[in-house]
Amino acid sequence: MCGIVGAISPRNVTPILLEGLKRLEYRGYDSAGVAVIHQNRLQREREIGKVAGLEAKLQSSELSGQIGIAHTRWATHGKPSVDNAHPQMSGTDVAVVHNGIIENHERLRDQLAAHGYVFASDTDTEVVAHLFHYHYQLVNTEPNDERLIRAFRETLEALQGAYALSILHTEHPGALLCAKVGSPLVIGEGSEEHFIGSDPLALLQVTDRFIYLEEGDYALVTRDEKRIYSLSESGMVEVERPIVRYEHGDHAADRGEFRHFMLKEIHEQPRALRDSLAGKFGQAGELLASSLGPNAENILRCVKQVQIVSCGTSYHAGLVARYWLEALAGVPCSVEVASEFRYRQVVVPENTLFVTISQSGETADTLAALRFAKTKGYLASLAICNVPGSSLVRESDYRLLTNAGPEIGVASTKAFTTQLAVLLWLTAVIGQAQMPAASRVELINALRSLPDHVASVLALEPAIERLAAYFANKHHTLFLGRGTHYPVAMEGALKLKEISYIHAEAYAAGELKHGPLALVDEEMPVVTVAPSNELLEKLKSNLQEVQARGGQLINFVCEEAHFKDNDNVTNVCLPKVDDWIAPIVYSVPLQLLAYHVALVKGTDVDKPRNLAKSVTVE
Ligand code: HGA
């Protein structure tokens, strides 16, 4: 998704802005731009394609200044083009960068056109630039900070939608305006300098101290101070926001020995799982529910039902958790994609816990679903998230943090398996009262063994790499699984389509004969996830149906299940693991398969076409 960087400093900010944009590249974008104020005039450069293209342009234009804003754009309104790239300007005075969508842009555009404003782009963002210009003219005072912030507030009050934005005005070369309404924005603290960014990762080269703006916050930032206000306060009263130190280190830009971030993140999973489960067990193996927040134990004891809401990969994590919660904790569970849930009439059974799952904690649909749920009488809300200071975490009653570290690859890997690990832990917490002590101990031991099992599956990479060549000229693939491994198959199919662009569909294996079997012929690879469990014999019958039609089976199986290879069947054997953690372990080879197929296809693994990390628009 789009990214914002801004800086105000005694030094030239152009290199800071460029480095910030490079650090945001992983999120996916189609164009980039920078504007700085130099000798009271705005200088701007924009380019479609990669930040490297913009960098080349900047070198020849020698753009420099001590205040500036920059942007990577992932188009929502208007095609990717130089004219539509940000910063958008109003006349020669005002420059704006914006993430999100201004929903009432058409009406505002008509009104501004009636006032004589001429539009140079198709974006909703340009409306903000002209609207701010318009309000600035109307605020009839000296051109001081007061005038600037008043015009800003009036502009924000006229906007509908979810956005983060930053504005420069040439009459105020010492002030950076910024606001957060539904899309993340942080202020970075420096020494006699300040920065803004839509993600702290963009600024880690210059600071590790951040103010996470809260919903409705807007601010005027100078070198020495920041004045933060809130749209929810009726007057212009300053509000206090804490400065938080970023604790994860600056690993974002570092792929280490790996060719891609995705591969690095796949291999980080043993560490990520260990860190995500750390602090969740007491010395005697008790489950430390207090890590979820104050009074969590008492609330969780009252849970009679769970509603999980999430998107994409996180949705698949929720689907696996449903099997766990019902089987182990005896608690009914529903799982729904956020984009549907948020617009539906819902009936909320008594004592239902509302759980959201999101890697970034800024996923627009999931956040909106949480806000919607808060009006519906749920028992409490719990966010499962990889980013501690994110909006989802801050707005939920309780939080269950994965500690996977920043995930840069657009295709989620370590975020998924760590979400699953903490969901299994949560199941044990919710089911505590009804689970026999022996089963609880078994489950805890299984969870603790996870990092080692995942490490041994990673050692299968060469065998999986050899399989990848087979997919080079395939256009379609089926993924099959049963029980908890049906959502694992869904996630495997999603990974393959995201990064290799091969059409992949997942089915519960028992559904095959109800339709998809018609697709199976000698050209169709069928990938199955087949651990040893009580559904294995059923699954084997489904695989016979595929073989009988000449389909090519690639099976991820338990080494103890003695599957046999033949011309149409290739088996990759995984170690025998406890049934409950098997979905986590069996997800890993599917990630490796998608990765190596994408390599064979020559696609951009970390930044697949049309996709973006942290989906902050609806
Ligand atoms: N609506 C703006 C910004 C899009 C965005 O935030 N994408 O993530 C545009 O289309 O330029």
Side-chain angles (χ1 to χ4, degrees):
M1 291 278 113
C2 297
I4 290 176
V5 194
I8 177 160
S9 170
R11 51 183 163 154
N12 175 18
V13 296
T14 313
I16 299 171
L17 300 176
L18 255 183
E19 173 61 21
L21 291 187
K22 286 181 191 165
R23 285 164 172 261
L24 291 174
E25 281 193 288
Y26 77 94
R27 297 163 68 103
Y29 66 104
D30 47 61
S31 52
V34 173
V36 296
I37 300 179
H38 181 70
Q39 294 177 346
N40 291 341
R41 292 179 51 177
L42 270 170
Q43 296 181 326
R44 171 176 70 164
E45 286 292 357
R46 297 175 295 169
E47 185 59 296
I48 49 171
K50 300 288 178 203
V51 172
L54 175 70
E55 188 172 21
K57 252 187 169 174
L58 288 175
Q59 268 156 11
S60 47
S61 65
E62 290 177 3
L63 181 140
S64 81
Q66 293 167 328
I67 180 168
I69 50 178
H71 193 256
T72 45
R73 174 174 189 249
W74 187 83
T76 64
H77 289 60
K79 63 180 189 313
S81 67
V82 172
D83 285 344
N84 288 337
H86 304 198
Q88 289 290 319
M89 285 174 66
S90 182
T92 53
D93 305 331
V94 173
V96 175
V97 288
H98 156 231
N99 289 355
I101 291 172
I102 306 300
E103 285 171 359
N104 56 341
H105 70 102
E106 279 176 349
R107 194 164 45 81
L108 290 171
R109 185 178 268 255
D110 291 345
Q111 287 168 359
L112 288 160
H115 288 298
Y117 286 93
V118 177
F119 284 78
S121 81
D122 302 319
T123 62
D124 47 343
T125 307
E126 191 181 358
V127 163
V128 183
H130 294 314
L131 190 65
F132 177 71
H133 184 274
Y134 173 74
H135 282 294
Y136 186 81
Q137 302 305 314
L138 286 190
V139 181
N140 208 359
T141 63
E142 292 299 301
N144 54 20
D145 287 352
E146 194 58 29
R147 179 175 180 186
L148 197 65
I149 198 75
R150 268 187 194 285
F152 193 37
R153 179 167 180 132
E154 277 163 30
T155 304
L156 297 175
E157 282 175 341
L159 300 177
Q160 285 164 11
Y163 55 82
L165 47 87
S166 179
I167 300 186
L168 295 181
H169 195 301
T170 50
E171 283 181 11
H172 302 265
L176 199 57
L177 294 171
C178 61
K180 172 207 164 17
V181 179
S183 193
L185 203 76
V186 297
I187 299 176
E189 287 282 316
S191 151
E192 286 179 46
E193 52 186 2
H194 278 110
F195 314 96
I196 58 160
S198 49
D199 183 332
L201 292 181
L203 302 173
L204 289 177
Q205 81 279 20
V206 280
T207 185
D208 64 354
R209 290 180 306 136
F210 297 100
I211 291 171
Y212 291 81
L213 290 184
E214 290 184 12
E215 199 44 27
D217 281 357
Y218 59 103
L220 185 146
V221 181
T222 67
R223 274 187 204 175
D224 307 310
E225 59 162 5
K226 62 259 146 201
R227 284 161 36 194
I228 305 173
Y229 306 87
S230 170
L231 287 171
S232 56
E233 302 282 337
S234 50
M236 303 275 289
V237 194
E238 277 189 55
V239 291
E240 288 289 324
R241 302 289 177 232
I243 298 174
V244 178
R245 196 170 283 278
Y246 187 86
E247 305 280 2
H248 302 287
D250 184 9
H251 306 299
D254 179 16
R255 281 200 314 268
E257 71 203 73
F258 295 98
R259 187 161 162 198
H260 292 100
F261 281 110
M262 182 181 176
L263 188 62
K264 175 182 175 229
E265 287 156 8
I266 290 173
H267 280 270
E268 275 176 352
Q269 289 177 109
R271 194 274 310 143
L273 287 163
R274 208 169 282 122
D275 289 356
S276 296
L277 292 170
K280 296 201 165 50
F281 305 103
Q283 299 233 313
E286 66 275 28
L287 302 159
L288 301 179
S290 54
S291 59
L292 301 172
N295 200 30
E297 267 146 316
N298 291 335
I299 291 289
L300 290 180
R301 227 170 271 141
C302 304
V303 172
K304 293 264 179 300
Q305 178 135 354
V306 175
Q307 171 71 60
I308 300 177
V309 172
S310 44
C311 306
T313 290
S314 302
Y315 170 64
H316 296 152
L319 289 177
V320 176
R322 183 178 60 181
Y323 288 87
W324 288 335
L325 280 160
E326 300 213 347
L328 283 167
V331 174
C333 173
S334 312
V335 189
E336 192 164 344
V337 288
S339 53
E340 286 300 315
F341 178 85
R342 62 183 288 192
Y343 291 116
R344 197 162 71 69
Q345 304 284 331
V346 293
V347 176
V348 182
E350 215 180 308
N351 286 358
T352 301
L353 178 70
F354 185 79
V355 177
T356 52
I357 312 174
S358 160
Q359 189 283 128
S360 65
E362 302 296 347
T363 314
D365 281 322
T366 309
L367 255 176
L370 169 65
R371 289 171 189 157
F372 169 75
K374 283 174 124 175
T375 65
K376 297 292 169 193
Y378 284 93
L379 173 67
S381 56
L382 167 69
I384 297 184
C385 188
N386 196 32
V387 181
S390 62
S391 306
L392 201 67
V393 169
R394 287 202 311 267
E395 293 183 31
S396 298
D397 302 320
Y398 298 97
R399 72 234 177 313
L400 176 47
L401 297 176
T402 54
N403 210 346
E407 190 177 65
I408 306 295
V410 166
S412 180
T413 53
K414 62 177 180 172
F416 179 63
T417 49
T418 53
Q419 285 167 355
L420 287 176
V422 299
L423 278 161
L424 186 51
W425 175 86
L426 179 69
T427 303
V429 175
I430 293 177
Q432 224 160 162
Q434 75 131 42
M435 267 169 94
S439 315
R440 191 160 55 86
V441 171
E442 225 170 89
L443 186 60
I444 292 169
N445 288 340
L447 270 171
R448 285 182 159 154
S449 70
L450 247 181
D452 291 342
H453 285 307
V454 168
S456 63
V457 171
L458 290 171
L460 299 173
E461 187 171 4
I464 296 169
E465 189 175 354
R466 284 194 292 280
L467 282 176
Y470 172 67
F471 289 80
N473 55 2
K474 299 292 177 204
H475 299 292
H476 307 278
T477 306
L478 286 178
F479 280 69
L480 302 179
R482 295 195 75 135
T484 45
H485 292 84
Y486 169 38
V488 169
M490 292 167 83
E491 175 58 12
L494 179 66
K495 284 294 85 92
L496 191 71
K497 51 188 158 200
E498 277 181 312
I499 60 168
S500 75
Y501 315 148
I502 294 174
H503 172 223
E505 291 297 333
Y507 281 92
E511 274 295 289
L512 202 59
K513 54 190 166 299
H514 297 290
L517 198 55
L519 296 170
V520 174
D521 61 13
E522 297 74 26
E523 289 305 308
M524 176 66 92
V526 179
V527 178
T528 59
V529 197
S532 273
N533 58 25
E534 81 284 0
L535 291 170
L536 183 63
E537 291 311 316
K538 306 265 174 223
L539 182 66
K540 278 183 172 169
S541 307
N542 303 138
L543 301 190
Q544 288 297 335
E545 294 159 10
V546 174
Q547 277 200 70
R549 273 103 194 147
Q552 290 291 326
L553 279 169
I554 290 123
N555 300 326
F556 292 94
V557 299
C558 170
E559 60 195 3
E560 291 180 11
H562 305 299
F563 273 74
K564 293 205 171 39
D565 282 10
N566 64 35
D567 285 351
N568 293 337
V569 181
T570 309
N571 296 297
V572 178
C573 293
L574 277 74
K576 168 94 184 110
V577 296
D578 177 275
D579 278 1
W580 298 116
I581 61 164
I584 309 176
V585 177
Y586 277 72
S587 298
V588 176
L590 301 185
Q591 299 167 346
L592 286 168
L593 180 68
Y595 174 77
H596 284 288
V597 172
L599 277 195
V600 170
K601 303 274 291 184
T603 55
D604 189 345
V605 173
D606 283 333
K607 288 174 236 135
R609 71 182 178 205
N610 306 339
L611 298 182
K613 193 81 182 161
S614 183
V615 184
T616 49
V617 294
E618 183 175 348

